[in-house]
Amino acid sequence: MAMMKGACVVMLWAGATFAQNSTAAIAATGTNFTLTAEGMSYLFHVDTDSGDLVSDHFGGPTTDFTPPANILPWGWNDELSNFRREFPDVGRSDFRLPAIHIEHADGDTVSAFRYRSHDITQGKPSIPGLPATYGGDGDVTTLIVQLYDNVSDVSAALSYSVFPKYNAIARSFSITNHGSTNGSGAIVIEQAHSFSTDFPHVDLEMIEPHGDWSHEFQTVRRKIDYGETSFGSKAGYASHQHNPFFALVSPSTTESSGEAWGFNLVWTGSFEATAEKFSNGYVRVLLGLNSLHTSIRVEPGETFQAPEAVAVYSSEGVGGLSRSFHDLYRSHLSRSKFTKETRPILLNSWEGLGFDINETSLVNLAGEAEELGIELFVNDDGWFGVEYPRNNDSLGLGDWTPNPAKFPNGLAPYVQAVNNFTVLNASKPLQFGIWVEPEMVNPNSTLYREHPDWVLRAGKHQRTLTRNQLVLNVGLPEVQDFIIGFVSRILDSANIQYVKWDNNRGMHELSHPSDDYDYILGLYRVIDNLTTRYPNVLWEGCASGGGRFDPGLLHYWPQHWTSDNTDAANRLTIQMGTSLVYPPSAMGCHISATPNGLTNRNISIEYRGHVALMCGSFGLELNPSELSPEEASAVPSIMAQAERVNPVVITGSFFRLAHPDKSNWPGVQFVSHDGSQAVVFAFQQQYVVKPAPPPLRLAGLDPRARYSNDLDNSTYSGATYMNGGLNIAWPRGDYQSKLIWLAKV
Ligand SMILES: *[C@@H]1O[C@H](CO)[C@@H](O)[C@H](O)[C@H]1NC(C)=O
Ligand SMILES: *[C@@H]1O[C@H](CO)[C@@H](O)[C@H](O)[C@H]1NC(C)=O
Ligand SMILES: *[C@@H]1O[C@H](CO)[C@@H](O)[C@H](O)[C@H]1NC(C)=O
Ligand SMILES: *[C@@H]1O[C@H](CO)[C@@H](O)[C@H](O)[C@H]1NC(C)=O
Ligand SMILES: *[C@@H]1O[C@H](CO)[C@@H](O)[C@H](O)[C@H]1NC(C)=O
Ligand SMILES: *[C@@H]1O[C@H](CO)[C@@H](O)[C@H](O)[C@H]1NC(C)=O
Ligand SMILES: *[C@@H]1O[C@H](CO)[C@@H](O)[C@H](O)[C@H]1NC(C)=O
Ligand SMILES: *[C@@H]1O[C@H](CO)[C@@H](O)[C@H](O)[C@H]1NC(C)=O
Ligand SMILES: *[C@@H]1O[C@H](CO)[C@@H](O)[C@H](O)[C@H]1NC(C)=O
Ligand SMILES: *[C@@H]1O[C@H](CO)[C@@H](O)[C@H](O)[C@H]1NC(C)=O
Ligand SMILES: *[C@@H]1O[C@H](CO)[C@@H](O)[C@H](O)[C@H]1NC(C)=O
Ligand SMILES: *[C@@H]1O[C@H](CO)[C@@H](O)[C@H](O)[C@H]1NC(C)=O
């Protein structure tokens, strides 16, 4: 690892005006820093008078430092309020929100972080105990700027890692308390925003996800106006209501053109996101821990570590932004060996059997699954609990021993019986997977009887039940060891190849705001341990659907259940929204029974299949014996399509062609990694007499190459598909769909 220290002139590239690849990613001229990607520059410098870090540029490629806007330095907001700042602290004349807010040992909350030194290194150091992007010397370059507050004897290390291929920058910081070690010198971190930068006076709009259970990832676009535009989660997790992601765009930006900046926090706990437009028009962007769940005490000699935030710039609209995140996350965030592998087609027992399970009924269901071409059979809730058998959701959670009445011989022979089925038309055994919800406990359980002090609680306040359950305090080492212990025992007890890790409620009573931070660090310790020890297990996250679809968990687990809402029409909007930042290859999507249990809507199995096929982990969540004859006869062709589509979804590029909120004829497209083929999913929501459906204009093709299609069995140029588009002859009826293949000829 080449390390260049200090305030000398460091030119890492050979002659080029801006970088062609990552070896040219970071340059320091004096203390002027230029971070360069293939289509993006990020510039900031040290103000030599104050020692403050000043933002210069984040956007398309630039090569020079230019003087800042000339702002009249009079009035109440003089000095720092008129600087564009990289790491704003509290006090000292900046009246905007800070990136860092510390209560010092003596009780004051003013900080004065001044530049001290910097290092530039190839590659990217990992962040101990936290999920983060990663990459080798050729992929990423890192700049660490050391700052010091000489009044409080506190230092900050601010880290920037640039991934040139993806126009991406990962940022984080740590704070070290060098103060007195006599016990009275603790500081308290009250606010920590991992990403902070100040845009100049330009018009911006924010695109942000919002939603609820079964209604995840709806999106809203609104103008950034004077004051604060903000949202966040206080649920202890990323939550269904919001996600630690937002994009800023120019007012003219569309799906396929214009400037867009995306920000995503690699964190599973409470967060907050803010764009603050000040009187001078500057827009401060902040993304970090939610300050209601911070107040983190740092003793003398200790260091606080903020999670990482990732920012991506695109000059190719919101779609370009999404594709950079997808590619970055598949290659440099998610570390599972399955991330770039096709996933087995699964059937989950929940919709079919619910809690009413035993070895016999499950093996029968597995047999029916086998006849459909299923490759992985998943046993959902209900299999555990001895003193408190898990026959419904009021008891047993926490007691992770197979129920002896349901599984008289334990899991091993049952799993063997499942494995004894051979996947249809293949010579491989049917795989087995299991459901767990390790972070929770029912008061009706042996675990709670023995360890009532293991749950999150606040003194004498009542412990609020949700779904009859309480949250274990995963910040406690003994709880972490308990989870590591029982999950390992289950995985060692039988041939289990998949785990669905569920989490079904928010955190209510915290004894201290920082319990959330400690909990999430504890959770990462547990998951890091288990995924390291069981790398061949396919792990899927779930939190009543997409409540924890966040990049922190995606670091360890390759996939997440997208929503408990499996109505295919609703799912289209939810999956499109999720794809703003997370790759479709990481989404779990299943065909469920009709009419839909949640919406009572009837949608054909073809349409339901097409929506579910758009995701990396495809499966069925229904009782095969309840399929109608028409549905049963459609299943083989859907299964055959799944085999063909999945590799393109896993490694290809994703394009949103038309959004269901804006068009009655939504569509998406994947282009295979090598560009040789593309698959289009097109939908008609309602049948209408007039107007005519618009042509479906494709994307991401080589304009000069020619591609055959299986819609009208013709061959056209990429330019024709992209500029002219395909006219689909939609049949009468609501909820129609088409799957169209293109092949380069
Ligand atoms: C990056 O560019 C340099 C100089 O042009 C070249 O020597 C090097 O091979 C390139 N590296 C990669 C990974 O493309
Ligand atoms: C750094 O940039 C500033 C403009 O922001 C410029 O005045 C100064 O000369 C630059 N310093 C060096 C060492 O290039
Ligand atoms: C801290 O550093 C500043 C700037 O170098 C200096 O003016 C000030 O006297 C220092 N204060 C202390 C307490 O050392
Ligand atoms: C403890 O530290 C505080 C703050 O630095 C200092 O004022 C005090 O004198 C120290 N007390 C002892 C016993 O060293
Ligand atoms: C298993 O469950 C099924 C369905 O509820 C039931 O009919 C059967 O008797 C059960 N078998 C055993 C051995 O408990
Ligand atoms: C299995 O093979 C049969 C006979 O070739 C074929 O009709 C069927 O579609 C195949 N099913 C799957 C799921 O591949
Ligand atoms: C839940 O299951 C337990 C144990 O079988 C049973 O006693 C209880 O009545 C059930 N509760 C509900 C609400 O069905
Ligand atoms: C599974 O198949 C093996 C080998 O054919 C056989 O020995 C075993 O009894 C079967 N196990 C079950 C539970 O069906
Ligand atoms: C405990 O289980 C019983 C039986 O299902 C149920 O009636 C009761 O509500 C449960 N208690 C709690 C606290 O969930
Ligand atoms: C996982 O945790 C267990 C128990 O705490 C420990 O013995 C083991 O070394 C850990 N393994 C890894 C890979 O972290
Ligand atoms: C859905 O289809 C079923 C079976 O054809 C029919 O009985 C039911 O009325 C339909 N429901 C709705 C809401 O259209
Ligand atoms: C295209 O070819 C397929 C397979 O040969 C055939 O089933 C289909 O009817 C053809 N479609 C058109 C529009 O000609």
Side-chain angles (χ1 to χ4, degrees):
M1 198 182 263
M3 185 173 294
M4 279 142 271
K5 285 212 179 248
C8 57
V9 177
V10 180
M11 298 294 282
L12 284 167
W13 70 74
T17 46
F18 63 90
Q20 302 302 314
N21 64 31
S22 61
T23 60
I26 299 183
T29 308
T31 51
N32 288 0
F33 302 103
T34 305
L35 283 60
T36 307
E38 286 179 5
M40 179 269 281
S41 295
Y42 192 108
L43 276 64
F44 68 99
H45 72 275
V46 178
D47 178 64
T48 40
D49 292 340
S50 66
D52 258 57
L53 302 185
V54 178
S55 315
D56 290 282
H57 174 77
F58 177 25
T62 57
T63 54
D64 304 288
F65 284 80
T66 57
N70 185 18
I71 299 177
L72 200 60
W74 296 337
W76 286 71
N77 305 318
D78 56 4
E79 300 294 335
L80 289 179
S81 286
N82 283 327
F83 276 75
R84 290 170 53 197
R85 302 177 73 200
E86 281 294 289
F87 192 60
D89 41 26
V90 173
R92 305 193 297 126
S93 81
D94 187 346
F95 294 143
R96 296 163 291 182
L97 288 170
I100 181 73
H101 178 194
I102 299 172
E103 184 184 334
H104 293 290
D106 63 4
D108 83 59
T109 58
V110 176
S111 291
F113 286 108
R114 295 190 165 89
Y115 169 84
R116 204 148 74 161
S117 65
H118 69 269
D119 292 336
I120 297 172
T121 61
Q122 286 299 302
K124 182 174 186 290
S126 61
I127 305 180
L130 281 162
T133 55
Y134 59 85
D137 286 3
D139 306 315
V140 56
T141 308
T142 298
L143 161 68
I144 298 178
V145 181
Q146 301 289 344
L147 304 162
Y148 182 61
D149 176 345
N150 64 358
V151 180
S152 307
D153 201 13
V154 170
S155 67
L158 183 56
S159 155
Y160 296 76
S161 295
V162 56
F163 290 88
K165 226 175 120 182
Y166 311 91
N167 297 324
I169 289 181
R171 259 181 74 169
S172 67
F173 66 83
S174 63
I175 299 283
T176 301
N177 179 6
H178 301 277
S180 159
T181 51
N182 71 3
S184 63
I187 62 170
V188 181
I189 310 289
E190 294 292 357
Q191 222 161 63
H193 290 124
S194 302
F195 206 98
S196 65
T197 194
D198 286 346
F199 282 78
H201 179 199
V202 289
D203 284 341
L204 293 169
E205 294 177 353
M206 183 186 270
I207 298 175
E208 77 202 54
H210 71 93
D212 209 316
W213 171 77
S214 281
H215 187 58
E216 294 90 341
F217 256 105
Q218 311 296 303
T219 50
V220 63
R221 178 168 174 164
R222 53 176 164 158
K223 180 177 158 73
I224 301 294
D225 221 322
Y226 291 93
E228 293 158 24
T229 305
S230 69
F231 64 92
S233 163
K234 305 164 205 76
Y237 310 112
S239 87
H240 296 82
Q241 283 72 33
H242 295 284
N243 192 274
F245 168 78
F246 64 97
L248 293 181
V249 296
S250 302
S252 59
T253 294
T254 67
E255 176 68 23
S256 56
S257 73
E259 292 195 280
W261 296 260
F263 304 89
N264 197 198
L265 190 66
V266 186
W267 183 243
T268 302
S270 298
F271 73 93
E272 65 193 19
T274 306
E276 181 181 12
K277 184 164 179 162
F278 201 60
S279 60
N280 50 28
Y282 292 173
V283 176
R284 173 162 293 173
V285 171
L286 297 166
L287 178 61
L289 302 179
N290 191 298
S291 42
L292 265 188
H293 286 168
T294 308
S295 295
I296 297 160
R297 206 176 149 86
V298 183
E299 299 293 339
E302 285 186 351
T303 296
F304 158 79
Q305 176 64 55
E308 175 169 296
V310 177
V312 166
Y313 169 77
S314 164
S315 58
E316 293 168 14
V318 181
L321 188 72
S322 298
R323 284 185 291 282
S324 281
F325 272 112
H326 298 172
D327 291 345
L328 177 74
Y329 283 0
R330 285 186 293 192
S331 295
H332 298 288
L333 174 73
S334 190
R335 67 178 199 187
S336 162
K337 73 168 220 184
F338 294 99
T339 301
K340 290 185 175 178
E341 283 185 12
T342 58
R343 313 287 161 79
I345 301 173
L346 69 82
L347 182 131
N348 184 301
S349 69
W350 183 250
E351 293 293 326
L353 299 179
F355 283 109
D356 189 14
I357 57 170
N358 57 39
E359 180 170 341
T360 317
S361 62
L362 285 161
V363 171
N364 285 342
L365 184 64
E368 292 171 21
E370 179 242 24
E371 287 165 23
L372 294 177
I374 297 296
E375 296 163 320
L376 167 64
F377 176 75
V378 180
N379 187 154
D380 209 278
D381 202 350
W383 58 269
F384 49 88
V386 180
E387 277 184 279
Y388 297 86
R390 180 75 172 167
N391 294 343
N392 54 60
D393 67 16
S394 75
L395 73 178
L397 209 49
D399 298 347
W400 299 102
T401 302
N403 177 266
K406 300 176 190 181
F407 304 95
N409 308 305
L411 290 181
Y414 153 51
V415 174
Q416 182 59 57
V418 171
N419 290 161
N420 273 7
F421 290 114
T422 302
V423 174
L424 187 67
N425 295 356
S427 55
K428 54 186 179 186
L430 180 59
Q431 295 182 4
F432 178 85
I434 202 158
W435 176 96
V436 289
E437 191 178 2
E439 300 154 66
M440 299 290 159
V441 64
N442 284 130
N444 278 331
S445 68
T446 307
L447 180 69
Y448 186 74
R449 224 179 50 210
E450 290 175 358
H451 299 286
D453 52 329
W454 278 10
V455 301
L456 283 176
R457 64 190 196 282
K460 294 194 170 111
H461 287 282
Q462 194 181 330
R463 303 170 182 196
T464 313
L465 284 172
T466 298
R467 200 179 185 242
N468 306 313
Q469 64 198 50
L470 295 167
V471 183
L472 293 175
N473 184 357
V474 183
L476 298 174
E478 53 271 35
V479 172
Q480 295 160 22
D481 290 339
F482 163 74
I483 297 175
I484 291 170
F486 88 73
V487 176
S488 305
R489 272 195 304 280
I490 296 168
L491 293 177
D492 292 342
S493 76
N495 182 26
I496 295 172
Q497 284 164 302
Y498 161 104
V499 173
K500 178 177 169 189
W501 186 300
D502 208 345
N503 184 75
N504 286 316
R505 60 162 288 184
M507 299 179 191
H508 295 184
E509 288 82 25
L510 302 182
S511 66
H512 189 271
S514 62
D515 284 357
D516 181 43
Y517 181 79
D518 294 339
Y519 180 112
I520 300 300
L521 292 190
L523 180 65
Y524 291 150
R525 185 197 147 215
V526 167
I527 296 174
D528 181 41
N529 183 299
L530 291 169
T531 52
T532 304
R533 283 166 68 190
Y534 300 96
N536 297 323
V537 169
L538 172 59
W539 302 84
E540 174 166 330
C542 177
S544 306
R548 293 206 302 198
F549 209 132
D550 66 66
L553 292 177
L554 269 193
H555 176 68
Y556 305 102
W557 297 333
Q559 63 192 50
H560 201 285
W561 179 232
T562 314
S563 176
D564 282 352
N565 185 341
T566 54
D567 176 295
N570 290 170
R571 259 305 186 109
L572 203 49
T573 304
I574 294 168
Q575 292 170 201
M576 288 256 210
T578 307
S579 77
L580 270 179
V581 53
Y582 306 115
S585 57
M587 296 181 203
C589 303
H590 302 166
I591 299 177
S592 64
T594 193
N596 185 271
L598 185 70
T599 63
N600 201 33
R601 192 177 279 132
N602 278 336
I603 294 188
S604 73
I605 193 157
E606 286 81 9
Y607 187 114
R608 280 178 280 148
H610 290 158
V611 171
L613 284 170
M614 288 161 49
C615 300
S617 177
F618 165 79
L620 304 185
E621 193 141 342
L622 44 72
N623 191 338
S625 65
E626 290 169 9
L627 287 170
S628 71
E630 304 78 59
E631 287 177 318
S633 68
V635 167
S637 88
I638 294 174
M639 294 293 178
Q641 282 163 353
E643 296 291 335
R644 197 174 163 204
V645 169
N646 198 243
V648 184
V649 170
I650 292 290
T651 59
S653 296
F654 177 71
F655 296 84
R656 291 176 293 262
L657 303 176
H659 196 281
D661 288 354
K662 296 198 181 116
S663 173
N664 188 39
W665 296 277
V668 307
Q669 181 191 343
F670 293 87
V671 177
S672 68
H673 190 59
D674 62 3
S676 67
Q677 52 181 346
V679 59
V680 177
F681 295 92
F683 303 92
Q684 169 170 276
Q685 307 289 64
Q686 261 72 58
Y687 177 73
V688 291
V689 175
K690 289 278 164 20
L696 187 65
R697 292 168 64 174
L698 308 190
L701 302 174
D702 174 354
R704 279 180 295 272
R706 294 188 71 79
Y707 302 81
S708 64
N709 77 71
D710 64 358
L711 178 72
D712 62 12
N713 295 336
S714 301
T715 295
Y716 307 117
S717 68
T720 301
Y721 286 109
M722 294 192 289
N723 299 322
L726 284 171
N727 283 307
I728 297 170
W730 288 108
R732 285 193 294 156
D734 296 343
Y735 303 114
Q736 303 290 328
S737 64
K738 296 267 186 208
L739 187 158
I740 303 161
W741 281 97
L742 266 62
K744 210 183 227 176
V745 295

